[in-house]
Amino acid sequence: MRKTIALAAACAAFAGTSARATESGGNVYPLGAEGTLAGALPPPGVYYLGYVQSYSADRFNDVDGKQGFIPAFDVDAQAAVSRVVWVTGRKVLGADLAMHVVAPVVRLDAHIAGVSDRRTGVTDVTVDPLILGWHFTNGLHVLTGVDINVPVGNYSRTSVANISRHHWNVEPVVAVAYYPKNGLQFDLKAMYDINFKNRDAQINALNPTGADYRSGNELHVDFAATKPVHPKVSVGVGGYYYRQTTSDQVDDPAAQATIDALGGFKGEVFAAGPTVRVAAGKAQVIATWQHEFTARYRPQGEKLWIKMILPLASFSRK
């Protein structure tokens, strides 16, 4: 009986909660943003990476992956992301040293359980001052770093269309690529999100007092397998897998009891779809469509990514 009441309260909670925060079933990292060419650093230089993303979902699933956990759920999100990567030309532990900064602009339109909102603006910025990339003669590449997400985006604790997490987050990163001279090429980028407390948490039926909220930690992997079909064209499959590994925690005993009744409100999702890479002069353009085949305690929908990699300057190693 207690669990039934808790589940009903959780469903009602989404009438006044964000469509994307892990406080209510989302994550910091834009799942599926990387795939082809994600696992290896380019030669020394400065690079601009531009991403355009469109995502839509008309369902929020329960723990069994069935539709209807949240009634009347419909979200559409578009993002334009600018990322600047500086591969310094210096060596550390035999690896190329690089750093990057990522600044997204997001438009989110949300309709959840009879409540609607729309927001557009700059969301949280990501920085990493220490990226290391190793390159091996057999075509294997390994990359590692720690991304830091800085909560500077537009946020309202009562909006259903928040575009900021409003808390700090760090993400250790390990990426591996294998680019043989012939045959299939593989990229895999794994990240583990460590979330800090939101001390101005969302106010909703799941957390009616707005008590401090710490979203659970999350593991996610972007992947791609592609094959060159022309000197300037590769085709294949790309996608992502996401799983929340620890439970959400809230500094309110009643709210925590509801979350515990939901098994910690741990999300999970898997998506895949076709991807194509085209070399256009000095630029690389990658388009990927991803269908979410299964989702638990998360939206389930469709996503399109278009990514451009453009070298701005190049220089020699030191």
Side-chain angles (χ1 to χ4, degrees):
M1 180 65 178
R2 177 189 173 196
K3 185 170 184 178
T4 302
I5 295 171
L7 289 169
C11 290
F14 291 92
T17 195
S18 166
R20 72 179 300 274
T22 298
E23 276 174 52
S24 308
N27 52 286
V28 166
Y29 178 77
L31 301 175
E34 304 292 355
T36 305
L37 301 182
L41 284 178
V46 179
Y47 299 83
Y48 173 80
L49 286 77
Y51 306 74
V52 177
Q53 176 228 346
S54 179
Y55 176 76
S56 62
D58 61 2
R59 57 188 286 176
F60 194 109
N61 293 351
D62 63 14
V63 68
D64 298 316
K66 296 180 180 179
Q67 184 175 358
F69 182 73
I70 301 174
F73 182 90
D74 188 15
V75 298
D76 288 283
Q78 290 79 41
V81 183
S82 292
R83 178 184 177 199
V84 177
V85 179
W86 176 27
V87 184
T88 65
R90 298 183 179 276
K91 292 284 189 177
V92 175
L93 301 177
D96 288 333
L97 172 65
M99 54 195 70
H100 75 178
V101 60
V102 184
V105 176
V106 177
R107 178 184 182 273
L108 179 61
D109 192 353
H111 308 273
I112 301 173
V115 178
S116 300
D117 198 1
R118 176 183 297 169
R119 285 177 176 257
T120 302
V122 176
T123 185
D124 302 338
V125 170
T126 300
V127 297
D128 189 338
L130 184 62
I131 300 171
L132 300 177
W134 290 266
H135 311 277
F136 302 94
T137 56
N138 63 353
L140 180 68
H141 305 265
V142 178
L143 180 154
T144 188
V146 179
D147 282 358
I148 303 168
N149 294 285
V150 185
V152 297
N154 188 298
Y155 174 82
S156 168
R157 65 193 316 202
T158 58
S159 174
V160 297
N162 265 314
I163 59 175
S164 169
R165 293 300 302 277
H166 202 63
H167 63 75
W168 291 78
N169 163 287
V170 295
E171 296 175 299
V173 182
V174 176
V176 178
Y178 180 57
Y179 304 148
K181 293 181 179 180
N182 298 297
L184 287 174
Q185 300 179 343
F186 298 95
D187 287 90
L188 185 147
K189 179 181 180 182
M191 307 179 75
Y192 190 73
D193 291 22
I194 302 169
N195 294 306
F196 292 73
K197 276 189 178 182
N198 183 355
R199 298 190 180 279
D200 190 23
Q202 298 167 28
I203 299 173
N204 49 57
L206 197 66
N207 185 17
T209 65
D212 292 356
Y213 200 107
R214 185 180 185 275
S215 298
N217 296 336
E218 306 150 281
L219 173 68
H220 46 89
V221 177
D222 288 357
F223 62 86
T226 57
K227 180 176 177 58
V229 295
H230 182 274
K232 295 186 176 182
V233 180
S234 295
V235 298
V237 175
Y240 52 88
Y241 174 72
Y242 163 96
R243 184 169 185 175
Q244 186 176 336
T245 60
T246 64
S247 300
D248 291 357
Q249 301 291 326
V250 59
D251 292 350
D252 180 288
Q256 187 63 53
T258 299
I259 292 168
D260 290 345
L262 296 172
F265 202 55
K266 298 177 184 177
E268 185 176 14
V269 66
F270 171 76
T275 185
V276 58
R277 176 180 64 85
V278 178
K282 294 183 178 181
Q284 300 280 341
V285 179
I286 301 165
T288 307
W289 175 75
Q290 297 157 338
H291 171 73
E292 292 180 332
F293 288 94
T294 182
R296 295 179 176 85
Y297 283 151
R298 288 184 58 90
Q300 182 177 347
E302 316 284 338
K303 187 177 294 185
L304 173 67
W305 283 101
I306 298 176
K307 172 182 173 182
M308 180 185 71
I309 305 172
L310 179 65
L312 300 179
S314 61
F315 37 84
S316 60
R317 289 183 170 86
K318 299 179 181 179

